[in-house]
Amino acid sequence: MSKILITSALPYINGVKHLGNLAGSMLPADIYARAMRLMGHEVLYICATDEHGTPAELAAQAEGMEVAAYCEAMHEAQKQAGAQFKLSYDYFGRSSAKSNHALTQAFAQQLEARGLIEERVSRQVYSNADGRFLPDRYVEGTCPSCGYEGARGDQCDGCGKLLDPVDLIDPYSAVSGSKDVEIRETNHLYLRQSALSDDLRKWVNAAKGWPPLATSIALKWLDEGLRDRAITRDLKWGIPVTNEDGSVRKGFEGKVFYVWFDAPIEYIAATQDWAAETGGDWAPWWRTDKGADEVQYVQFMGKDNVAFHALSFPTTIIGSGEPWKLVDQLKAFNWVTWYGGKFSTSQKRGVFMDQALDIAPSDYWRWHLTANAPEGSDAAFTWEEFQSSVNSDLANVLGNFVNRITKYCAGKFDGKLPAGGTPGEAEAWIEAELATRIPQLIKCYEAREFRKAMTETRAIWAAGNEYLTQAAPWTHYKTDVDQAAIGVRYGLNLVALFGIIAQPVIPDAAAKILDAIGVPEDKRSWNFGETTDVKALLSALPEGQAIAAPDVLFSKIEDTDIEAWTERFGGAEG
RNA sequence: GGUGGGGUAGCUCAGCUGGUUAGAGCGCAGGACUCAUAAUCCUGAGGUCGUGAGUUCAAGUCUCACUCUCACUACCA
């Protein structure tokens, strides 16, 4: 047994997340957390809402709400959406929490004491009408290069050229449209990432088990030369820049830390809040002088977050000179695309977490998004594929298997697990099959290869159907009831096993299955691994045990559903 | 522009450090079975592995060029 700390990239506060966000960080992290718990590891799964930054302020403004109230409401909404998707966070915190304020300020002070923070002056677009500085993307104007009129301050959509907002012709605020903008000088704190470049490279090179996606992105940034990064912003909502005595730093009134500086620190702060709430101890998870060396720390994120987790946050950690835990495994995902294109709220393309649950149970989404996880490359979501994996994998392969054998048991064996019979060829076959497949499944989970884990899970379910065909209890029943009994007994034990291995992905259906055939809670963990005792697994249920035939576990998605959803959410044509 | 990922059966994707007739699921065709959500099981068809060149006894797998596509490019997060 080991201690595993799991974090998934913090979902940003400005709205309920779409399926791509779910599939690329929270969901795989949850499935990994569940699988590791079932294997007997001590798991701590931490997540939180990322609440600072310009978009949060603007979203609140658009809703006519105070930022704090808006974030409070959105935090609750996301927390609820997570709960409905059965994300098994041990703690779901907020980056705006008091604990994070204190920790972020402490980190900054420590970094400055070690000479890794400098104050510099930069030039930034200020909008008088909006009364705020504008991030590059919120300034628009005419592209100095191609004359395109809707060019954003960071990049022109017309010619694709990278821009500096200062160079835009006729700049205006994308927030209000006002042309009353000017360039102002403003002072900020810079984190001297460049100073730690060599340490970071050494650390990245030594990292084992990261997907190529993660290492290649990290090395690319290092190769280009790490630039020092501003870690403060001219905003009101956020973590104030303070001195050690808690007073606001001179010249930093009206400034706060940059969201990307404080967000990863929230992983730690949220753990502190978890400890405070549960009476747990946070330090053994995060302080290497308190035992965190024993912890396996795994981060889940989309590829856009890699640089922050592989470089910026480690700069904070290493730069502090204190014994904080660094990430061990960085699992990065590509994007889920919508029929190959982008998710877009405005164009009615894509499904958001809350809407998703209106149209199908969370298990359906969990299964499909994991079986088609964007691990190797971007993965296209289509309604047709969704229908196919739900109907075929869940309804036909698993659901129908559970149904056929439990109903047969109810009809011919009085709903009780039958005794009698001697194992033969079919039993030897399924035993051999499981003896290779179950260790394989475990290996996939341990390697965090989710698509493969799902393929293996499905293959195990499918083997159950093949076993029943071979054992054919309905044929034997006519001449030899004992021979039929063993088929039913093995079949029902397979149901139990299938439910057990299904738990990380489709927890609701798994619970229904295990309840129906009476597997007690304490018999649902994975006490199998490299040395799987298959015979014991297939005779785990006590003879005579009452078996209930569950209702239809997975109802199928009809073509008419697909048509209706395409109409509502957009499809191939966008 | 720079960098990274991807381009493998109709569709979605596996193919590790190069090595027997290139795999899976779905879809399709045929057959079997009848316990089951018209489910399941078996068999089969289907790919000159983006293009061109190169290295090698041997390349989907390595090198180079080209091409298409997606993403990132540090003040959106």
Side-chain angles (χ1 to χ4, degrees), chain A residues 1 8 13 17 66 83 170 178 230 280 299 302 312 332 350 379 382 404 416 420 424 455 465-466 505 544:
Chain A
M1 184 185 109
S8 50
I13 195 71
K17 300 293 103 180
E66 287 297 318
D170 292 333
S178 165
Q299 290 176 342
S312 303
T382 69
R404 66 195 291 208
K416 293 198 174 69
T455 300
N465 282 311
E466 191 177 341
V505 217

Side-chain angles (χ1 to χ4, degrees), chain A residues 184-213:
Chain A
R184 283 192 188 176
E185 294 205 327
T186 175
N187 57 321
H188 283 296
L189 297 186
Y190 279 72
L191 179 60
R192 296 183 53 224
Q193 298 191 120
S194 54
L196 288 178
S197 189
D198 292 344
D199 292 330
L200 288 167
R201 183 183 292 276
K202 236 180 270 170
W203 175 68
V204 170
N205 281 330
K208 291 214 168 57
W210 292 16
L213 180 66

Side-chain angles (χ1 to χ4, degrees), chain A residues 46-285:
Chain A
I46 298 288
C47 194
T49 38
D50 179 12
E51 305 192 358
H52 300 139
T54 307
E57 293 194 358
L58 294 178
Q61 195 176 306
E63 295 290 321
M65 295 174 77
E66 287 297 318
V67 198
Y70 173 81
C71 288
E72 170 97 43
M74 288 313 301
H75 171 79
E76 282 311 313
Q78 294 211 19
K79 189 173 181 178
Q80 197 181 342
Q84 286 171 340
F85 265 98
K86 307 296 145 75
L87 300 178
S88 60
Y89 306 126
D90 286 293
Y91 192 77
F92 188 67
R94 305 180 59 181
S95 68
S96 61
K98 278 204 163 57
S99 53
N100 197 36
H101 279 235
L103 203 52
T104 299
Q105 288 161 346
F107 264 113
Q109 284 153 17
Q110 177 70 9
L111 287 164
E112 184 159 25
R114 291 171 56 88
L116 291 167
I117 284 182
E118 272 178 18
E119 203 172 320
R120 298 180 191 170
V121 174
S122 66
R123 284 149 54 86
Q124 184 82 30
V125 176
Y126 184 86
S127 165
N128 288 305
D130 298 298
R132 64 166 69 242
F133 280 93
L134 297 173
D136 291 359
R137 290 197 186 196
Y138 288 90
V139 186
E140 291 178 1
T142 303
C143 174
S145 175
C146 73
Y148 179 78
E149 289 188 2
R152 291 195 319 264
D154 58 336
Q155 183 166 24
C156 173
D157 285 337
C159 62
K161 211 173 150 85
L162 293 180
L163 303 174
D164 189 324
V166 173
D167 298 332
L168 284 177
I169 300 163
D170 292 333
Y172 60 88
S173 160
V175 179
S176 60
S178 165
K179 293 201 169 184
D180 186 9
V181 297
E182 62 189 46
I183 312 289
R184 283 192 188 176
E185 294 205 327
T186 175
N187 57 321
H188 283 296
L189 297 186
Y190 279 72
L191 179 60
R192 296 183 53 224
Q193 298 191 120
S194 54
L196 288 178
S197 189
D198 292 344
D199 292 330
L200 288 167
R201 183 183 292 276
K202 236 180 270 170
W203 175 68
V204 170
N205 281 330
K208 291 214 168 57
W210 292 16
L213 180 66
T215 5
S216 69
I217 292 176
L219 289 175
K220 175 209 142 196
W221 282 56
L222 286 165
D223 289 344
E224 287 181 1
L226 275 191
R227 280 178 246 160
D228 299 337
R229 188 190 278 271
I231 56 163
T232 52
R233 292 290 183 276
D234 291 286
L235 293 170
K236 293 182 197 71
W237 170 245
I239 298 177
V241 185
T242 54
N243 301 304
E244 285 196 33
D245 64 6
S247 59
V248 173
R249 182 189 181 101
K250 191 155 179 287
F252 281 77
E253 304 82 6
K255 295 179 197 279
V256 296
F257 282 105
Y258 172 40
V259 46
W260 262 116
F261 184 69
D262 76 61
I265 294 172
E266 165 65 6
Y267 292 142
I268 305 175
T271 309
Q272 294 177 334
D273 291 345
W274 160 82
E277 198 162 286
T278 61
D281 191 357
W282 67 270
W285 293 98

